[in-house]
Amino acid sequence: MESQIELEYEDIKGHADTKMVRFVGDLDATNVETVLEKICNLFNDGFINIIADFKKLRYVNSTGLGILLHFSKSAKEKNGSFKIANVNENVYEIIEIIGATTLLEIYDEVDEAIAALK
Amino acid sequence: MPDLKIQRKPLDLRPDLTMWKIEGPLDAESIGYIHREFDSVLESKQNFLVAEMSGVTQVSSAAIGQLMGCRQLLVERGGDLVITGVSLDIKSKLSAMGATKIFKFYNELRTAVNAYHWEVERKSEMVWMSFPPELQFVPPVRQMVSRIARQKGYTNRDSFRIETIVDEVCNNAVEHGSERLKKNIDLNIKIDREKIELEVINASDPDKIDALRALSTSMPKTPDAKLGQKRGRGLALIKMLSNKLDINFSGDGTSVHVTKLREE
């Protein structure tokens, strides 16, 4: 049985190659493969920009953070981006400890992430 | 209206501790009576007092102020005055007076005694768990340990860090240890006011022990944030979140001992 995580998708008006994904729940070793598959499917479907809304992401561990870095790398390879918004302070601390704050594109709000799209 | 009555007696659960069975109105006229009764508590060198208030019919701010003064004296001596058995009606009045921010309230005498063990005697509590070596069991285990920490007064941030540590250690135990061997993973927790100690013991494949030992000794001081790397940051993350990390390898198993100090 996996930890509970739901991914909710939303289109961004005026950005056909962008998808907003709301992460709801915990991202950990039990569900990274599922999340990996779903996000990679978006890349394969031509969505080269992903905006991840973490407002309802309660928890992330090192394995979860590993796939976030992987998404960032994959997006860059496709000349796109993987942007994160609304990170809670506990999750941010884990990202910070791993030293990934400079590697991931992190925004306070989703609107800021959208405004930063090329 | 009957006068206030304070009956002083030892607690059945801990006869060396004192209980006040308080009945009647805790009004302004009772201040002198409370004062005299409290003097006798001090004379007997008691520094922890349980006020059982199920029979209290009325409270006044003057009498509660007197009890606050009593509590302050006990706190200065390393003890406390705690309240049990209070009705909802009285508790809401105490809340309006600000007393719920000063006193600790317990539903039962047993929980008040447990508070004495924890707050005054500074005793630690132990929890033991054993679970199958499968990833699916790790989330409920880590969440339970986090809840224990929160319930014991650790901050949300500390509880989250503890949850992360448990998660990373247990995931490693599953991944590098027992999954193939089908032997349960043991998690021993010792928690007190100052720190939490976690010990995770798992059976390891004897063929893997040398490789695991090499992995632990080459562990980086800080996690590696390389973009393309999906795994391999767990131990370094534990090290960053905890105050002490020891890994011991024996012929047939691995034990990881982590100490995390409580932040105030």
Side-chain angles (χ1 to χ4, degrees):
Chain A
M1 191 175 66
E2 295 179 355
S3 276
Q4 283 279 55
I5 190 153
E6 297 285 332
L7 300 186
E8 298 170 357
Y9 307 96
E10 195 176 308
D11 292 328
I12 307 284
K13 209 172 178 181
H15 297 278
D17 58 357
T18 303
K19 197 68 125 176
M20 183 165 79
V21 185
R22 286 192 200 89
F23 286 64
V24 183
D26 292 4
L27 178 59
D28 63 23
T30 66
N31 56 33
V32 282
E33 294 301 330
T34 309
V35 173
L36 182 68
E37 188 183 340
K38 288 179 176 175
I39 299 295
C40 286
N41 283 344
L42 290 178
F43 285 136
N44 293 336
D45 289 344
F47 296 101
I48 58 167
N49 296 304
I50 304 286
I51 295 175
D53 183 356
F54 279 6
K55 192 171 189 174
K56 292 182 180 173
L57 181 71
R58 187 196 72 88
Y59 178 86
V60 68
N61 71 359
S62 68
T63 320
L65 194 55
I67 63 157
L68 298 182
L69 291 166
H70 176 76
F71 295 150
S72 188
K73 182 170 181 266
S74 299
K76 280 175 184 163
E77 284 169 357
K78 293 175 188 296
N79 286 323
S81 63
F82 181 78
K83 301 179 193 300
I84 298 170
N86 287 324
V87 185
N88 79 43
E89 61 180 12
N90 291 326
V91 169
Y92 188 84
E93 185 184 46
I94 300 300
I95 296 173
E96 199 171 31
I97 288 172
I98 298 279
T101 49
T102 52
L103 296 171
L104 294 169
E105 291 183 55
I106 303 173
Y107 297 86
D108 288 341
E109 304 286 342
V110 167
D111 287 348
E112 289 176 34
I114 294 170
L117 288 168
K118 286 172 191 168
Chain B
M1 186 183 289
D3 290 338
L4 181 76
K5 187 176 161 195
I6 299 177
Q7 191 185 350
R8 183 180 160 192
K9 54 184 184 181
L11 275 171
D12 290 340
L13 293 163
R14 277 286 299 259
D16 57 321
L17 299 181
T18 301
M19 177 179 81
W20 271 0
K21 173 84 177 157
I22 306 176
E23 293 172 295
L26 258 175
D27 54 20
E29 290 170 20
S30 60
I31 289 176
Y33 178 38
I34 294 170
H35 185 74
R36 286 192 298 279
E37 287 296 316
F38 187 67
D39 276 349
S40 72
V41 171
L42 293 181
E43 280 167 20
S44 63
K45 309 282 185 202
Q46 291 282 337
N47 64 3
F48 191 81
L49 184 59
V50 181
E52 205 289 316
M53 290 176 45
S54 60
V56 169
T57 53
Q58 180 189 328
V59 285
S60 74
S61 55
I64 293 304
Q66 179 73 16
L67 285 178
M68 285 177 184
C70 296
R71 177 185 178 268
Q72 184 59 35
L73 280 171
L74 292 178
V75 169
E76 284 168 10
R77 292 167 180 229
D80 205 350
L81 189 164
V82 302
I83 294 172
T84 65
V86 71
S87 69
L88 283 176
D89 176 46
I90 295 293
K91 191 162 184 186
S92 77
K93 287 175 179 158
L94 289 171
S95 178
M97 293 173 190
T100 47
K101 290 178 182 163
I102 305 291
F103 293 101
K104 295 187 181 81
F105 289 80
Y106 300 100
N107 289 334
E108 297 173 18
L109 290 172
R110 181 177 296 280
T111 46
V113 171
N114 285 340
Y116 176 77
H117 293 318
W118 179 261
E119 299 285 345
V120 180
E121 295 186 319
R122 305 284 171 117
K123 283 189 174 168
S124 56
E125 293 186 15
M126 307 282 293
V127 181
W128 296 274
M129 284 182 242
S130 185
F131 59 94
E134 294 167 38
L135 282 178
Q136 61 177 313
F137 291 100
V138 176
V141 167
R142 72 164 196 251
Q143 285 163 16
M144 191 169 92
V145 179
S146 177
R147 275 196 292 272
I148 290 171
R150 255 199 307 276
Q151 197 258 331
K152 288 296 180 190
Y154 282 59
T155 62
N156 281 341
R157 191 165 84 149
D158 252 356
S159 305
F160 187 88
R161 288 172 172 179
I162 289 163
E163 179 173 352
T164 306
I165 292 167
V166 171
D167 192 22
E168 299 292 349
V169 179
C170 292
N171 284 339
N172 279 346
V174 171
E175 187 180 347
H176 299 299
S178 315
E179 199 161 25
R180 190 181 66 83
L181 301 169
K182 303 292 177 202
K183 287 187 180 168
N184 271 12
I185 293 167
D186 294 323
L187 170 60
N188 304 323
I189 302 158
K190 185 177 174 191
I191 185 167
D192 60 38
R193 281 173 55 94
E194 276 82 37
K195 64 183 181 304
I196 183 166
E197 292 177 69
L198 306 158
E199 185 182 39
V200 177
I201 303 166
N202 65 272
S204 295
D205 191 331
D207 299 337
K208 279 185 174 179
I209 286 283
D210 286 339
L212 288 172
R213 190 178 281 120
L215 190 69
S216 71
T217 51
S218 64
M219 177 175 57
K221 283 182 184 158
T222 52
D224 190 343
K226 279 183 198 133
L227 265 181
Q229 193 183 330
K230 287 204 213 86
R231 304 181 70 84
R233 301 178 182 89
L235 268 182
L237 183 58
I238 297 163
K239 203 168 186 182
M240 296 289 285
L241 290 172
S242 63
N243 299 90
K244 192 163 183 273
L245 168 65
D246 291 314
I247 307 171
N248 296 301
F249 301 98
S250 64
D252 57 356
T254 307
S255 76
V256 178
H257 192 279
V258 185
T259 304
K260 164 86 182 75
L261 299 179
R262 176 182 171 175
E263 72 171 14
E264 289 301 332

